[in-house]
Amino acid sequence: MLSIGVLIISFPFSSFLFQVQRRASKLGLKKGFTCFCSKMTMKPSSNIWIRRQQCPCGDWKCYVKYEGDDQTSVSSQLRKNETTSTPSSLDAVFMPYVGQIFKTDDDAFEYYSNFARKNGFSIRKARSTESQNLGIYRRDFVCYRSGFNQPRKKANVEHPRDRKSVRCGCDAKLYLTKEIVSGVTQWYVSQFSNVHNHELLEDDQVRLLPAYRKIQEADQERILLLSKAGFPVNRIVKVLELEKGVQPGQLPFIEKDVRNFVRTCKKTVQENDALLTEKRENDTLELLEACKAMAERDADFVYDYTTDENNKVENISWSYADSVRAYTVFGDVVTFDTTYRSITYGLLLGAWFGIDNHGKPVFLGCVLLQDESLNSFAWALQTFLRFMRGRYPQTILTDIDSNLRDAIARELPNTKHVICSWHVLSKLSSWFSLSLGSQFEDFKADFDMLYHLEGIEEFEHQWNHFVARFGLASDKHIALLFSYRSSWPLSYIRGYFLARSMTAEFYQSLDAFLKLILRGQTCLQLFFEQVGIAADLRNQSREWLQYMHIKTCLPIEENARSIFTPYAFNVLQHEIVLSMQYATTEMANGSYIVRHYKKMDCEYLVIWVSQDEQIHCSCKEFEHSGILCRHCLRVLTMKNYFEIPEKYALFRWRLESSLVPVEDQNAQCNSDECAQAFHSLAATLLTESLFTKERFSHVHQELIRLLDHVRDMPISKDFVSNTAANISET
């Protein structure tokens, strides 16, 4: 497995890195490798958790980069790699001249190096001169072919290698001298010559000079991973070319550089294999002991694990009392996130989340899996259901994964399986941007249109045109998406209950939660402790009852405000406002055709059953989110309904279902008084400010400043009630 390679390479042992650095220095590897090791030593936590990068298509050559990650796209990363040693002003580098001044000798070297690269050669540092008072006061930089190779004493070998030297006595040079002017140190060019006695190289040749061949840190990590997984050097180079979308031979380094880098690391890695394996086993046992200790302190804490044939911990899962309690209310829709894996321990992280009545993720459980096999995922699902006392979710959301899909079909046969839209969208750039080039933006727009189509037949018809337009009939990723079509386009999943778990806001909150528990963790026990803190509802910030302003004065809106959380009310209120733009036509069977007053060609069928007070819309929004759509609300308003029917005010969206107490639930009437006072003042302010442009600009600037100041003020529990009392006194 590739994960094992990461496990061995990336483990943050200072002794291991010291040995690697020492071997690197002996072999004369470039500074970049030492920096790579140093960074791993100083910031080990940054390499503990990473996003899964193996493509679900199963092709070893396919490598997923995620939009929005710290890692940039492959094309921009390549450009960055090729210009790392070159400043942004490279195009403005002119020929050095005698008397030219630099702040430091490093600045001068970088400037001369950039000039050399543009002109077909490279440079190296030659002699430096030092004094007791000034320190180093002279630096000599010369062409890489300066001087002559000194004959070396041959070793006692039968066939010594006779390496040819590139040095030919070239006299191109730049000499620096340090001076102190008004107490400020600076360096000036004392001698300069640009006369070469050899041929200068073209652009496609000069990049292959040793001075410009650098393996960047991200590429070093990838090379080590592939090498440990058993890839030969020539295949590693091929993988990197495919990942970066470049032609063969166009990487900023050559196969020889990769071979030297791997050889340098290989022996040290082998020497530390046993130590790292032992450390991993010990940390896993410590995690198990932490679970046992937690179970002794809290009888409602649950955990389970499996062992391999050597009685070593293989998979482990756990959940908390608060999570089990939350599942009884918000377990209808579950997100199983498998985005991250531990590169230190070679474990896949699976985190279970629900969505609460405030639209925020609620932690339900956690699992660490040894691999991504069908059996491992099946065990994770079985264990989670046991933790949650055998209650099955209505819907489960996951990433694209064939083994996980098969495990869900086997263990959750009656649960709807949905592929999260953000997991699909995050892969599009890696899959199609390079092959489509300038067409990629049009591709994304058409893909978004396909995703939002309402009818299945229309989707499949438009899909064929979409594939033909961009010439993707034989593309493996298009075939993969189509094979999963029952799980991700809205036309297929519109009738599945998702409770708004695929909104951008929920995904951002979930991603922030994951980054919080994964940040700065260097061992499994610390990770376990961090998860426990984040999952404890006592550590959650209390929800303040936001002021919910009435926009339509409809009684049904007033009723909704009194029973729903601000999050659910805002969603429903948006639908209530839009419902006023729709016209209804009653059918003979008691159903209604609902059309927008400007879009009469788009219609929805609303079925009304008066005996049971049942209402259904062809848009299936209530079945999808648990919140009535604008079309149903239009019919209810026409039927003189002043309250939301009980069956359509789901408990999961009500105020009383909150896991964390909501502050000042009875303060809405006081908030109304505050709102009236502010509206009156704001109306007067607007009237006065519109007399002149200067007045308006002044008021606008002052309001922005006032708003920033108010947002920075601490919130007091007695704020609403005290403010209302002050208003009533005045």
Side-chain angles (χ1 to χ4, degrees), residues 414-439:
N414 298 320
T415 298
K416 305 297 185 183
H417 181 204
V418 173
I419 302 299
C420 297
S421 58
W422 59 77
H423 286 309
V424 175
L425 297 175
S426 66
K427 295 177 176 62
L428 295 183
S429 178
S430 291
W431 286 350
F432 303 110
S433 61
L434 289 175
S435 59
L436 293 178
S438 60
Q439 287 186 298

Coordinates of all heavy atoms in Angstrom, one line a residue, residues 414-439:
N414 N -31.3 -0.4 3.4 CA -32.5 0.5 3.3 C -32.1 1.9 3.4 O -33.0 2.8 3.5 CB -33.5 0.1 4.4 CG -34.0 -1.3 4.2 OD1 -34.3 -1.8 3.0 ND2 -34.2 -2.1 5.3
T415 N -30.8 2.2 3.5 CA -30.4 3.6 3.6 C -30.0 4.2 2.3 O -29.3 3.5 1.5 CB -29.2 3.7 4.6 OG1 -29.6 3.3 5.9 CG2 -28.6 5.1 4.7
K416 N -30.5 5.4 2.0 CA -30.1 6.0 0.7 C -28.6 6.5 0.7 O -28.2 7.1 1.7 CB -31.0 7.2 0.4 CG -32.5 6.9 0.4 CD -32.9 6.0 -0.7 CE -34.4 5.8 -0.7 NZ -34.8 4.8 -1.7
H417 N -27.9 6.2 -0.3 CA -26.5 6.5 -0.4 C -26.3 7.7 -1.4 O -26.7 7.6 -2.5 CB -25.6 5.3 -0.8 CG -24.2 5.6 -0.9 ND1 -23.3 4.9 -1.7 CD2 -23.4 6.6 -0.3 CE1 -22.1 5.4 -1.6 NE2 -22.1 6.4 -0.7
V418 N -25.7 8.8 -0.9 CA -25.5 10.0 -1.7 C -24.1 10.3 -1.7 O -23.4 10.3 -0.7 CB -26.4 11.2 -1.2 CG1 -26.0 12.5 -1.9 CG2 -27.9 10.9 -1.3
I419 N -23.5 10.7 -2.9 CA -22.2 11.2 -3.0 C -22.2 12.7 -2.8 O -22.9 13.4 -3.5 CB -21.5 10.9 -4.4 CG1 -21.6 9.4 -4.6 CG2 -20.1 11.4 -4.4 CD1 -20.8 8.6 -3.6
C420 N -21.5 13.2 -1.8 CA -21.4 14.7 -1.5 C -21.0 15.4 -2.8 O -20.0 15.1 -3.4 CB -20.5 15.0 -0.4 SG -20.9 14.2 1.2
S421 N -21.8 16.5 -3.1 CA -21.5 17.3 -4.3 C -20.1 17.9 -4.2 O -19.4 18.0 -5.2 CB -22.6 18.3 -4.4 OG -22.6 19.2 -3.3
W422 N -19.7 18.3 -3.0 CA -18.4 19.0 -2.9 C -17.2 18.0 -3.2 O -16.2 18.4 -3.7 CB -18.2 19.6 -1.6 CG -18.3 18.8 -0.4 CD1 -17.3 17.9 0.1 CD2 -19.4 18.7 0.6 NE1 -17.7 17.3 1.3 CE2 -19.0 17.7 1.6 CE3 -20.6 19.3 0.6 CZ2 -19.8 17.4 2.6 CZ3 -21.4 18.9 1.7 CH2 -21.0 18.0 2.7
H423 N -17.4 16.7 -2.9 CA -16.4 15.7 -3.3 C -16.3 15.5 -4.8 O -15.2 15.3 -5.3 CB -16.7 14.4 -2.6 CG -16.4 14.3 -1.1 ND1 -15.2 14.8 -0.6 CD2 -17.2 13.9 -0.1 CE1 -15.3 14.6 0.7 NE2 -16.5 14.1 1.0
V424 N -17.4 15.6 -5.5 CA -17.4 15.5 -6.9 C -16.7 16.8 -7.5 O -15.8 16.7 -8.3 CB -18.8 15.4 -7.5 CG1 -18.8 15.4 -9.0 CG2 -19.4 14.1 -7.0
L425 N -17.2 18.0 -7.1 CA -16.7 19.2 -7.6 C -15.2 19.4 -7.3 O -14.5 20.0 -8.2 CB -17.5 20.4 -7.0 CG -19.0 20.4 -7.4 CD1 -19.7 21.5 -6.7 CD2 -19.2 20.5 -8.9
S426 N -14.7 18.9 -6.2 CA -13.3 19.2 -5.8 C -12.4 18.4 -6.7 O -11.2 18.7 -6.8 CB -13.1 18.8 -4.4 OG -13.3 17.4 -4.2
K427 N -12.9 17.3 -7.4 CA -12.0 16.5 -8.3 C -12.0 16.9 -9.7 O -11.2 16.5 -10.5 CB -12.5 15.0 -8.2 CG -12.3 14.4 -6.8 CD -12.9 13.0 -6.7 CE -12.6 12.3 -5.4 NZ -13.3 13.0 -4.3
L428 N -13.0 17.8 -10.1 CA -13.1 18.1 -11.5 C -11.8 18.8 -12.1 O -11.4 18.5 -13.2 CB -14.3 19.1 -11.7 CG -15.7 18.5 -11.4 CD1 -16.7 19.6 -11.7 CD2 -15.9 17.3 -12.2
S429 N -11.2 19.6 -11.3 CA -10.0 20.3 -11.8 C -8.9 19.3 -12.1 O -8.2 19.3 -13.1 CB -9.5 21.3 -10.8 OG -8.3 22.0 -11.2
S430 N -8.6 18.4 -11.2 CA -7.6 17.3 -11.4 C -7.9 16.4 -12.5 O -7.0 16.0 -13.3 CB -7.5 16.5 -10.1 OG -6.9 17.2 -9.1
W431 N -9.2 16.2 -12.7 CA -9.6 15.2 -13.8 C -9.6 15.8 -15.2 O -9.3 15.2 -16.2 CB -11.0 14.7 -13.5 CG -11.0 13.6 -12.4 CD1 -9.9 13.1 -11.8 CD2 -12.1 13.1 -11.7 NE1 -10.3 12.2 -10.8 CE2 -11.6 12.2 -10.7 CE3 -13.5 13.3 -11.8 CZ2 -12.5 11.5 -9.9 CZ3 -14.3 12.6 -11.0 CH2 -13.8 11.7 -10.0
F432 N -10.0 17.1 -15.3 CA -10.3 17.6 -16.6 C -9.6 18.9 -17.0 O -9.6 19.3 -18.2 CB -11.8 17.9 -16.7 CG -12.7 16.6 -16.5 CD1 -13.4 16.5 -15.3 CD2 -12.6 15.6 -17.4 CE1 -14.2 15.4 -15.1 CE2 -13.4 14.4 -17.1 CZ -14.2 14.3 -16.0
S433 N -9.0 19.7 -16.1 CA -8.5 21.0 -16.4 C -7.3 20.9 -17.4 O -7.3 21.7 -18.3 CB -8.0 21.7 -15.1 OG -7.0 21.0 -14.5
L434 N -6.5 19.9 -17.2 CA -5.3 19.8 -18.2 C -5.7 19.4 -19.5 O -5.3 19.9 -20.6 CB -4.3 18.9 -17.6 CG -3.5 19.4 -16.4 CD1 -2.6 18.3 -15.8 CD2 -2.7 20.6 -16.7
S435 N -6.6 18.4 -19.6 CA -7.0 17.9 -20.9 C -7.9 18.8 -21.7 O -7.9 18.9 -22.9 CB -7.8 16.5 -20.7 OG -8.9 16.7 -19.9
L436 N -8.7 19.6 -20.9 CA -9.7 20.5 -21.6 C -9.1 21.9 -21.9 O -9.5 22.6 -22.8 CB -11.0 20.7 -20.8 CG -11.8 19.4 -20.7 CD1 -13.0 19.7 -19.9 CD2 -12.3 19.0 -22.1
G437 N -8.1 22.3 -21.1 CA -7.4 23.6 -21.3 C -8.4 24.7 -21.1 O -9.1 24.9 -20.1
S438 N -8.5 25.6 -22.2 CA -9.3 26.8 -22.1 C -10.8 26.4 -22.1 O -11.6 27.3 -21.8 CB -9.0 27.7 -23.3 OG -9.3 26.9 -24.5
Q439 N -11.2 25.2 -22.4 CA -12.6 24.8 -22.4 C -13.1 24.4 -21.0 O -14.3 24.2 -20.8 CB -12.8 23.6 -23.3 CG -12.7 23.8 -24.8 CD -13.1 22.6 -25.6 OE1 -12.4 21.6 -25.5 NE2 -14.2 22.7 -26.3

